[in-house]
């Protein structure tokens, strides 16, 4: 197949996966609603049906994942390079990694309750990618032609995915904590793990991925040294990567050395995560500096 | 707690303790993050001086106020430096005593067995009375550090967690030293070189050169680079560049032996501790200017600056030797196209159908006024326009008092030349920092106690929240029980 045929195939696969993700989102929504109802009308409402819907929703999400994988692969083949040369590709690859991480985690932990928020997040990312960020498949500009592209950007994508997951969990912690202090969890929240588990989980995710984020920054610095003649230049993207690093470093210190837990820690985690999101959106869309390539 | 009396040494000690406290470190860390923000939102002189100038013309009062507080030089400002220097002092004050403590702890024996073991995170009992021998064997097998007392064993493992922690913080100091070396002993300069010309590494060859405080220009590395050939490839659909390759002949000294080298965007040339980078490129139209009598008063390539992605370039040609002085404001268009709104512009960055557009000015170039002039701009204050022309290749335009011929063009490259003596330290520091971080975040540090009384008590304390201690204690319990069963079996057989 030629490059343009592959690019065309990639677009079709990404569209199809968006469609299947939408179906899976609806089923997750129904499943959530029914299981809330099943809890309320204990014994009256049929639980087996909920179970069946959940299984279909997960099967559909797996199918959407495979379609998206095909889409990302075809994109990479059409451009003869790794599929993260611009923000559109970064987004579809990020969505793929995010879904993949969830599906793998699902085999080990009981994380079905996360299905609905995850499918919403993926739909938002893919939707924005297709409508706002789309760029035709093209080779890289000379500055991006380096092995460090593979190393630096993949480390950044993985770190970003895990930071966002930790953020989701910290936010969930805060919501549930508020519920509990106001008299107890509602029907939906009863399916969720204990506060302590959520608190621990978000910390562990951050502790796990902080070294990787450090590595992403250092790999970027090494690359910048060979492409731009300096390893650090306070480019907006670099500055915000540094701010994110500092914020998570503060979070880890607060937890490990100062013994912060629960609410305070969750807020700090959210703050750190939002600096990452800001970097992703602001610098790519409105920012200036050397990290803006190929339009976006 | 009341504040101590602030006098002399006491107050110094009080300040030091405050500065090196965890709380202060946390606040400084967050402050550093916040202080870095304005530099990413406002244009910075070190990166984009043009944008800063624009800011000054758009809103002079605000710009002046911002400038008073160094908001256009955030990362070199006193307040930013103050934060990170305080942070590093706090870090040193925190990490040096900790390294010392840790060095002592490594040599010391594990802590004594506490009285009330049931207060620990993990606690269990076995109904037996002998366990110390078997427990010691298990702990030794698993390489715990052990202190055995009359009726108990205290064991600890995972000291490398603190080693990693200390290593991480020490390596941050190494990185800072690297940065300090770079900024005081380093240099950074750039020069535009026409293809076909030679660059000699002396201070006068640079278009701009910034050096560290302790850098002397005599210590510039000796080398020359001749730009032999430059090839730029562009995507025919998106017009985006795909590859830049500069073929060069380099020599370690003027007149010394030479060799051929290729310079690309991601692969700089290296001369000792100096590296040369390919940063930008553009076109230099080659022109010949004659005066009324037909004598050549100027000939050669003149670098023009690209204005857009398709390399529509503008520049100035100054001919001070002509009588009267002549200047040209020029525009080089590599592939001509036209629209009613933009006039002539370039449709593709490669020179497929080049044009040179010039307006001719006559009068005083003011090059002797002592005020430094941009070579890319013509000061037309004391000049009058006498002609306007779009030229094809090899076309000559006669404007009454002389002629200009568009002979051709040559690409130019912008070489960035950097000496950064601190970067090795920064790199080594970074690698050590990651190793330290991994060790400190993924090593389990834990203590195990075994105590014999009416029954055997086993307790464990995990010093960081990583799973694994519980299953370890299960193993130990099993081991002790199996060991005791064997003993009983042997006892029975003896009877």
């Amino acid at each position: 197949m030629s490059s343009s045929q592959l690019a065309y195939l990639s677009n079709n696969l990404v569209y199809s996966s968006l469609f299947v993700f939408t179906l899976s989102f609806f089923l997750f929504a129904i499943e959530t609603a029914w299981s809330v109802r099943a809890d309320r009308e204990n014994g009256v409402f049929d639980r087996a049906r909920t179970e069946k819907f959940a299984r279909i929703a997960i099967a559909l999400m797996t199918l959407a994942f495979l379609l998206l994988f095909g889409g990302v692969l075809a994109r990479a083949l059409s451009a003869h390079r790794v599929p993260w040369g611009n923000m559109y590709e970064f987004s579809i690859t990020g969505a793929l990694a995010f879904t993949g991480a969830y599906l793998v985690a699902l085999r080990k932990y009981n994380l079905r309750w996360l299905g609905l928020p995850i499918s919403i997040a993926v739909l938002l990312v893919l939707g924005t990618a297709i409508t706002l960020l789309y760029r035709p498949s093209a080779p890289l500009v000379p500055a991006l032609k380096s092995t460090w592209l593979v190393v630096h950007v993949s480390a950044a994508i993985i770190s970003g995915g895990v930071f966002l997951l930790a953020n989701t969990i910290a936010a969930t912690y805060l919501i549930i904590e508020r519920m509990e202090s106001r008299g107890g969890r509602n029907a939906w929240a009863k399916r969720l793990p204990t506060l302590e588990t959520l608190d621990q989980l978000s910390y562990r995710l951050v502790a796990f991925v902080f070294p990787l984020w450090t590595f992403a920054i250092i790999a970027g610095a090494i690359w910048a040294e060979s492409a731009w003649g300096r390893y650090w230049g306070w480019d907006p993207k670099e500055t915000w990567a540094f701010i994110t690093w500092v914020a998570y470093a503060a979070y880890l210190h607060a937890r490990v050395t100062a013994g912060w837990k629960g609410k305070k820690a969750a807020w700090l985690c959210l703050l750190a995560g939002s600096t990452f999101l800001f970097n992703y959106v602001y610098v790519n869309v409105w920012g200036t500096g050397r990290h803006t390539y190929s339009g976006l | 707690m009341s504040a101590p009396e602030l006098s002399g040494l006491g107050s110094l000690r009080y300040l030091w303790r405050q500065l090196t406290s965890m709380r202060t470190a946390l606040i400084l860390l967050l402050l550093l993050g916040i202080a870095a923000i304005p530099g990413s939102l406002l244009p910075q002189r070190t990166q984009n001086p043009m944008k800063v100038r624009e800011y000054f013309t758009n809103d002079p009062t605000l710009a002046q106020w911002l400038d008073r507080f160094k908001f256009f030089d955030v990362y070199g400002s006193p307040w930013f430096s103050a934060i990170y220097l305080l942070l590093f002092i706090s870090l040193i004050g925190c990490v040096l005593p900790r390294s010392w403590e840790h060095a002592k702890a490594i040599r010391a024996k594990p802590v004594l067995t506490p009285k009330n073991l049931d207060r620990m995170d993990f606690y269990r009992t076995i109904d037996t009375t002998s366990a110390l021998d078997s427990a010691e064997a298990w702990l030794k097998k698993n390489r715990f550090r052990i202190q055995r007392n009359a009726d108990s064993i205290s064991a600890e493992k995972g000291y490398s967690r603190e080693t990693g922690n200390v290593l991480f913080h020490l390596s941050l100091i190494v990185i800072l030293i690297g940065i300090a070396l770079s900024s005081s002993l380093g240099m950074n300069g750039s020069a535009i070189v026409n293809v076909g010309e030679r660059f000699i590494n002396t201070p006068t060859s640079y278009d701009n050169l910034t050096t560290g405080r302790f850098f002397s220009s005599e210590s510039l590395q000796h080398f020359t680079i001749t730009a032999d050939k430059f090839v730029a490839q562009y995507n025919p659909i998106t017009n985006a560049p795909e590859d830049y390759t500069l073929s060069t002949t380099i020599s370690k000294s003027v007149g010394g032996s030479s060799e051929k080298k290729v310079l690309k965007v991601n692969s700089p040339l290296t001369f000792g501790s100096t590296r040369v980078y390919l940063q930008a490129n553009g076109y230099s139209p080659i022109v010949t200017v004659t005066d009324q009598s037909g004598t050549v008063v100027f000939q050669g390539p003149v670098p023009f600056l690209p204005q857009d992605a398709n390399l529509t370039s503008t520049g100035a040609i100054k001919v001070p030797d002509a009588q009267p002085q002549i200047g040209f404001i020029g525009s080089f268009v590599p592939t001509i196209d036209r629209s009613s709104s933009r006039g002539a512009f370039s449709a593709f960055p490669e020179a497929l159908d080049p044009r040179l557009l010039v307006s001719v000015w006559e009068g005083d170039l003011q090059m002797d006024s002592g005020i430094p002039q941009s070579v890319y701009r013509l000061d037309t204050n004391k000049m009058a326009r006498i002609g306007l022309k779009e030229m094809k290749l090899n076309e000559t335009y006669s404007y009454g008092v002389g002629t200009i011929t568009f002979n051709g063009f040559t690409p130019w490259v912008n070489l960035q030349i950097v000496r950064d003596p601190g970067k090795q330290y920064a790199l080594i520091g970074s690698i050590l920092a990651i190793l330290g971080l991994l060790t400190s975040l993924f090593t389990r540090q834990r203590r195990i106690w075994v105590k014999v009384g009416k029954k055997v008590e086993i307790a464990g304390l995990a010093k960081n929240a990583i799973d694994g201690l519980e299953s370890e204690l299960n193993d130990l319990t099993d081991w002790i029980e199996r060991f005791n069963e064997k003993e009983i079996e042997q006892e029975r057989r003896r009877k």
Side-chain angles (χ1 to χ4, degrees):
Chain A
M1 257 193 280
S2 74
S3 266
S4 58
Q5 278 173 317
L6 277 167
Y8 187 67
L9 173 70
S10 163
N11 289 354
N12 281 338
L13 284 168
V14 173
Y15 278 121
S16 317
S17 90
L18 182 72
F19 177 69
V20 182
F21 267 121
T22 315
L23 288 181
S24 138
F25 157 72
F26 278 121
L27 285 165
F28 269 123
I30 295 172
E31 187 259 339
T32 307
W34 278 1
S35 64
V36 168
R37 203 170 146 198
D39 282 337
R40 206 184 304 133
E41 306 165 19
N42 209 356
V44 186
F45 195 80
D46 184 14
R47 250 177 208 286
R49 225 169 27 157
T50 320
E51 199 49 35
K52 199 192 275 172
F53 264 65
R55 275 203 303 267
I56 300 174
I58 290 163
L60 282 173
M61 191 182 259
T62 315
L63 175 65
F65 170 79
L66 293 174
L67 287 169
L68 189 58
F69 178 75
V72 170
L73 188 70
R75 180 85 181 185
L77 290 173
S78 90
H80 306 289
R81 57 174 168 80
V82 286
W84 45 75
N86 52 41
M87 209 179 166
Y88 168 75
E89 292 170 3
F90 191 89
S91 299
I92 60 172
T93 310
L96 183 77
F98 192 56
T99 323
Y102 171 66
L103 289 173
V104 169
L106 198 59
R107 297 179 73 92
K108 211 177 155 196
Y109 306 103
N110 181 18
L111 286 175
R112 208 179 270 175
W113 59 274
L114 259 178
L116 185 62
I118 296 249
S119 55
I120 292 173
V122 171
L123 279 182
L124 282 176
V125 172
L126 274 186
T128 327
I130 290 172
T131 50
L132 294 177
L133 308 174
Y134 182 78
R135 288 290 175 284
S137 175
L140 294 171
V141 297
L144 287 182
K145 284 191 177 144
S146 164
T147 357
W148 289 105
L149 176 70
V150 183
V151 181
H152 167 62
V153 186
S154 59
I157 290 182
I158 297 170
S159 317
V162 179
F163 282 151
L164 290 189
L165 202 57
N167 245 20
T168 319
I169 292 169
T172 315
Y173 177 94
L174 288 171
I175 295 169
I176 304 247
E177 199 274 338
R178 208 176 136 119
M179 266 184 207
E180 287 193 351
S181 68
R182 289 186 173 188
R185 297 184 176 204
N186 66 19
W188 167 76
K190 278 190 186 129
R191 315 165 74 206
L192 271 53
T194 61
L195 281 178
E196 199 174 324
T197 315
L198 290 173
D199 185 50
Q200 274 293 321
L201 196 58
S202 65
Y203 165 65
R204 268 185 217 174
L205 286 171
V206 172
F208 162 75
V209 88
F210 184 71
L212 187 65
W213 180 243
T214 313
F215 173 75
I217 294 176
I218 292 169
I222 296 173
W223 185 11
E225 195 277 327
S226 70
W228 299 332
R230 85 288 187 289
Y231 56 85
W232 194 266
W234 295 107
D235 178 82
K237 194 114 205 164
E238 289 171 355
T239 305
W240 280 93
F242 172 74
I243 293 170
T244 304
W245 189 86
V246 163
Y248 277 114
Y251 171 80
L252 289 178
H253 277 107
R255 266 204 94 115
V256 178
T257 318
W260 283 26
K261 266 192 159 192
K263 237 164 113 174
K264 272 207 290 188
W267 278 115
L268 193 53
C269 181
L270 275 186
L271 176 81
S274 47
T275 65
F276 178 87
L277 266 185
F278 184 79
N279 196 1
Y280 179 62
V281 177
Y282 165 78
V283 177
N284 287 57
V285 180
W286 294 286
T288 52
R290 309 187 86 156
H291 276 84
T292 43
Y293 291 109
S294 58
L296 275 172
Chain B
M1 211 175 75
S2 63
E5 218 164 289
L6 300 180
S7 64
L9 206 63
S11 66
L12 272 178
R13 199 174 294 153
Y14 173 74
L15 269 177
W16 178 250
R17 215 169 291 147
Q18 287 299 309
L19 182 63
T20 56
S21 78
M22 194 62 228
R23 223 183 66 164
T24 313
L26 261 177
I27 291 171
L28 285 172
L29 203 54
L30 284 173
L31 259 180
L32 185 66
I34 293 166
I37 294 175
S40 76
L41 305 178
L42 291 166
Q44 297 295 295
R45 278 213 180 84
T46 46
Q47 293 155 359
N48 210 336
M50 296 267 281
K51 275 258 172 74
V52 177
R53 237 173 283 143
E54 227 170 78
Y55 209 99
F56 267 91
T57 33
N58 290 345
D59 195 342
T61 7
L62 180 63
Q64 260 168 20
W65 275 104
L66 288 173
D67 201 28
R68 222 160 272 172
F69 294 101
K70 302 275 176 199
F71 274 102
F72 298 115
D73 304 283
V74 167
Y75 307 106
S77 70
W79 47 272
F80 191 78
S81 316
I83 295 173
Y84 78 74
L85 286 177
L86 278 176
L87 184 63
F88 268 91
I89 292 171
S90 157
L91 182 106
I92 291 168
C94 188
V95 84
L96 289 185
R98 244 177 116 159
S99 322
W100 182 245
E101 287 293 311
H102 183 55
K104 275 199 290 187
I106 286 179
R107 276 175 284 140
K109 297 234 166 199
V111 292
L112 287 174
T113 313
K115 266 193 186 144
N116 301 314
L117 284 180
D118 51 345
R119 282 189 196 155
M120 296 299 157
D121 300 350
F122 300 98
Y123 176 75
R124 62 197 51 194
T125 55
I126 316 177
D127 269 329
T128 174
T129 47
S130 73
L132 292 191
D133 286 336
S134 55
E136 189 174 352
W138 186 89
L139 289 165
K140 268 196 181 142
K141 191 179 73 139
N142 286 292
R143 278 185 272 149
F144 273 78
R145 192 159 302 180
I146 299 164
Q147 169 158 21
R148 183 159 175 174
N149 306 312
D151 63 342
S152 71
I153 291 180
S154 165
E156 182 160 358
K157 194 178 173 183
Y159 287 80
S160 55
R161 182 173 87 107
E162 179 68 3
T163 312
N165 198 356
V166 166
L167 176 67
F168 171 72
H169 289 95
L170 287 175
S171 49
L172 291 184
I173 299 172
V174 176
I175 295 177
L176 189 75
I177 293 172
I179 293 171
L181 278 178
S182 300
S183 67
S184 57
L185 292 172
M187 63 131 251
N188 189 338
S190 65
I192 283 183
V193 180
N194 286 313
V195 170
E197 290 176 357
R198 183 167 71 156
F199 172 84
I200 301 168
N201 194 25
T202 55
T204 48
S205 305
Y206 285 88
D207 295 333
N208 62 67
L209 176 65
T210 46
T211 58
R213 192 165 300 167
F214 303 110
F215 181 88
S216 71
S217 53
E218 282 94 67
S219 60
L220 275 180
Q221 203 97 18
H222 291 291
F223 62 84
T224 69
I225 301 168
T226 310
D228 297 327
K229 192 180 164 204
F230 179 73
V231 180
Q233 278 170 22
Y234 299 94
N235 186 303
I237 298 161
T238 62
N239 291 14
E242 286 180 356
D243 186 55
Y244 298 128
T245 304
L246 179 71
S247 309
T248 64
T249 307
I250 63 159
S251 169
K252 298 274 156 69
S253 59
V254 181
S257 66
S258 61
E259 62 184 304
K260 299 266 177 203
K261 286 266 175 163
V262 169
L263 175 56
K264 287 169 93 79
V265 172
N266 265 303
S267 56
L269 295 175
T270 306
F271 299 91
S273 61
T274 307
R275 295 187 103 183
V276 180
Y277 300 84
L278 180 60
Q279 284 302 26
N281 60 284
Y283 289 105
S284 299
I286 302 170
V287 295
T288 307
V289 181
T290 63
D291 63 10
Q292 271 161 311
S293 62
T295 326
V296 173
V297 281
F298 179 88
Q299 186 168 40
V302 185
F304 276 26
L305 291 184
Q307 303 298 314
D308 59 25
N310 286 333
L311 299 184
T312 305
S313 311
T314 59
I317 305 165
K318 301 179 186 181
V319 192
D321 296 340
Q323 278 309 327
Q325 289 191 328
I326 294 288
F328 303 89
I329 298 176
S331 177
F332 178 81
V333 183
T335 300
I336 188 86
D337 201 351
R338 259 171 247 280
S339 78
S340 51
S341 59
R342 293 173 63 193
F345 66 94
S346 174
F348 197 69
E350 229 169 280
L352 302 176
D353 188 10
R355 294 286 192 286
L356 179 65
L357 287 69
V358 288
S359 61
V360 193
W361 297 74
E362 182 192 55
D364 182 6
L365 287 167
Q366 298 183 72
M367 287 170 83
D368 306 320
S369 65
I371 303 161
Q373 268 189 354
S374 164
V375 293
Y376 305 105
R377 276 203 203 128
L378 199 65
D379 185 352
T380 55
N381 266 333
K382 293 187 176 167
M383 304 189 91
R385 199 172 77 181
I386 54 168
L388 192 65
K389 178 71 180 169
E390 178 184 318
M391 287 186 280
K392 285 187 185 164
L393 267 183
N394 298 318
E395 200 177 328
T396 300
Y397 169 51
S398 171
Y399 45 84
V401 289
T403 64
I404 178 167
T405 310
F406 176 29
N407 301 114
F409 56 89
T410 181
W412 57 257
V413 290
N414 187 19
L415 299 179
Q416 192 190 357
I417 294 135
V418 181
R419 199 173 111 180
D420 191 342
K423 72 183 172 198
Q424 291 89 336
Y425 298 95
L427 181 64
I428 292 168
S430 310
I431 292 168
L432 291 179
I434 288 211
L435 291 178
L437 202 55
L438 287 171
T439 329
S440 88
L441 285 172
F442 295 120
T443 306
R444 290 192 294 128
Q445 189 172 14
R446 66 274 197 202
R447 289 181 179 154
I448 292 180
W449 295 279
V450 181
K451 197 167 163 188
V452 185
K454 281 176 190 158
K455 53 192 175 179
V456 171
E457 289 176 284
I458 299 171
L461 175 73
K463 292 184 100 181
N464 49 346
I466 306 176
D467 293 334
L469 183 57
E470 193 165 17
S471 67
E472 222 165 18
L473 287 178
N474 289 342
D475 275 2
L476 174 60
T477 315
D478 284 351
W479 171 279
I480 294 172
E481 280 173 345
R482 255 185 288 134
F483 195 86
N484 285 351
E485 274 165 26
K486 252 188 238 162
E487 295 253 293
I488 294 166
E489 189 79 1
Q490 278 170 357
E491 198 95 331
R492 198 183 297 149
R493 248 180 247 159
R494 244 175 274 153
K495 278 176 185 170

